[in-house]
Amino acid sequence: KNLETNGRAAWVAEEMAALAQPSTYITEPEDAWKRLRLRSTEPRFLQLVRNLAAWRERAAKSRDLARGRLLKDETLLAIAAHPPKTREELTRIRGVSKGLADGAASADILDAVGRAVAMPKEQLPARPRIKKPDTSTQPMVALLRVLLKAKCEEHGVAQQLVASTADLQAIASSERNGVLTLTGWRHDVFGADAIR
């Protein structure tokens, strides 16, 4: 009832529509590595992570398991950092259970590792370019943070629901594509004023 009184029923409908989209929850196996927090951008390591994450995504889906129950992120990254050649080497990696190493999955893990290790150097993924923070936008980010606080207090909504630090940095850098803050109800609450 409060939502209707406050005129925010449309906000909830917008959020629920996004949550109801199956695409919100689907991760393509080839893109599964993008969800991980990488320790290195070395091309061979990246290929190992890509192969292992794709295998994990497919295996978790086929077994109807959460990906983390099959293989935790930290363990996947440890395997990529110390690529095993044998089951024995796989068992020595922290986080690899005896059941995993002795089970059918070990052959798939070793295959994913082997393909990445054997890949010719010229076919490895390019080292991603790391964007250095643009310090010239920091004063604008600070101003946007103040505006965000004021607008959120005015509308009685939590700042975290409206904009992230990354959103504020993107707006300050005039990067507007894909910034959630600049769409829908968030645009009405904060985005329009932030652009102005």
Side-chain angles (χ1 to χ4, degrees):
K1 186 172 178 167
N2 283 344
L3 292 173
E4 291 174 11
T5 304
N6 295 336
R8 296 184 181 172
W11 294 11
V12 173
E14 188 179 315
E15 295 298 309
M16 294 304 290
L19 293 173
Q21 291 293 328
S23 61
T24 302
Y25 307 99
I26 295 172
T27 300
E28 293 299 326
E30 291 71 27
D31 294 331
W33 69 275
K34 294 176 182 175
R35 304 177 73 252
L36 299 167
R37 299 182 81 162
L38 301 179
R39 304 173 187 164
S40 169
T41 59
E42 193 274 320
R44 182 81 54 195
F45 175 79
L46 290 177
Q47 189 61 49
L48 283 155
V49 169
R50 285 179 175 192
N51 285 11
L52 290 165
W55 163 77
R56 181 178 69 170
E57 198 66 30
R58 287 186 189 96
K61 186 175 182 179
S62 71
R63 296 174 189 175
D64 197 23
L65 284 173
R67 62 181 72 86
R69 293 233 20 207
L70 184 62
L71 186 69
K72 291 185 187 307
D73 290 354
E74 302 81 34
T75 307
L76 186 151
L77 294 171
I79 293 169
H82 307 286
K85 294 182 182 83
T86 65
R87 284 184 187 208
E88 292 75 33
E89 289 178 11
L90 182 60
T91 60
R92 289 188 216 121
I93 295 174
R94 184 181 176 141
V96 175
S97 68
K98 183 160 175 42
L100 180 66
D102 289 342
S106 68
D108 294 333
I109 292 170
L110 293 172
D111 177 63
V113 168
R115 284 184 287 109
V117 169
M119 185 173 279
K121 194 173 186 176
E122 61 275 0
Q123 291 179 11
L124 292 172
R127 187 181 294 264
R129 299 175 91 179
I130 298 172
K131 281 176 115 177
K132 292 181 180 166
D134 183 0
T135 55
S136 68
T137 62
Q138 291 312 310
M140 179 59 72
V141 170
L143 286 173
L144 288 169
R145 199 175 308 280
V146 171
L147 177 64
L148 175 64
K149 183 176 185 206
K151 291 308 234 172
C152 288
E153 285 177 4
E154 176 185 330
H155 290 278
V157 64
Q159 295 176 45
Q160 300 89 331
L161 293 176
V162 178
S164 67
T165 299
D167 293 335
L168 300 180
Q169 290 168 340
I171 294 167
S173 301
S174 298
E175 295 173 21
R176 305 217 168 113
N177 287 342
V179 178
L180 185 62
T181 302
L182 301 178
T183 62
W185 67 269
R186 290 174 178 87
H187 177 269
D188 298 339
V189 168
F190 170 72
D193 290 328
I195 292 171
R196 278 197 291 277

